[in-house]
């Protein structure tokens, strides 16, 4: 694949990503973020695969950098998603607290 094809795919990916994020309502941002986290898992597997097959030093360094960044993005994304999902859960009564009699 040549440079023009790679640049075309990058431009289309940026355009589609911008359109999807700007058109999705705020209530759907949490599921969208969860999907993005799954995609980062795929990127992490690809970076590990490239690091395992690297023969040049700079390719190995770039692949390891990609592994570190993808791992940080994956873990951070799941932490943020978990915190967002906590906001949708109802409040639990404190242990030992009595419910109000109506």
């Amino acid at each position: 694949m040549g440079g023009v094809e790679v640049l075309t795919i990058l431009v289309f990916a940026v355009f589609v990503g911008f359109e999807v994020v700007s058109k999705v309502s705020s209530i759907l941002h949490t599921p969208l973020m969860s999907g993005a986290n799954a995609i980062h898992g795929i990127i992490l597997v690809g970076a590990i695969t490239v690091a395992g097959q690297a023969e040049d030093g700079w390719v190995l360094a770039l692949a390891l950098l990609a592994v570190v960044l993808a791992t940080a993005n994956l873990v951070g994304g799941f932490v943020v998603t978990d915190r967002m999902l906590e906001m949708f859960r109802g409040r639990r009564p404190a242990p030992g607290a009595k419910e109000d009699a109506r």
Side-chain angles (χ1 to χ4, degrees):
M1 188 177 302
V4 174
E5 290 87 4
V6 171
L7 183 63
T8 303
I9 290 171
L10 178 68
V11 168
F12 279 131
V14 168
F15 177 73
V16 169
F18 180 77
E19 287 296 317
V20 167
V21 170
S22 65
K23 301 282 192 271
V24 169
S25 67
S26 62
I27 193 90
L28 293 177
H29 279 184
T30 301
L32 183 66
M33 184 179 286
S34 297
N37 291 338
I39 292 171
H40 287 121
I42 295 169
I43 292 170
L44 179 61
V45 170
I48 291 171
T49 303
V50 169
Q53 296 176 351
E55 295 179 3
D56 293 335
W58 67 273
V59 174
L60 179 62
L62 192 61
L64 291 178
L65 178 66
V67 168
V68 169
L69 292 177
T71 302
N73 203 1
L74 182 71
V75 172
F78 277 114
V79 168
V80 169
T81 301
D82 187 51
R83 289 185 67 186
M84 290 176 72
L85 289 176
E86 282 289 326
M87 294 189 309
F88 293 110
R89 292 185 185 137
R91 292 183 181 228
R92 296 180 188 153
K98 294 182 179 179
E99 292 186 24
D100 293 335
R102 293 183 186 183

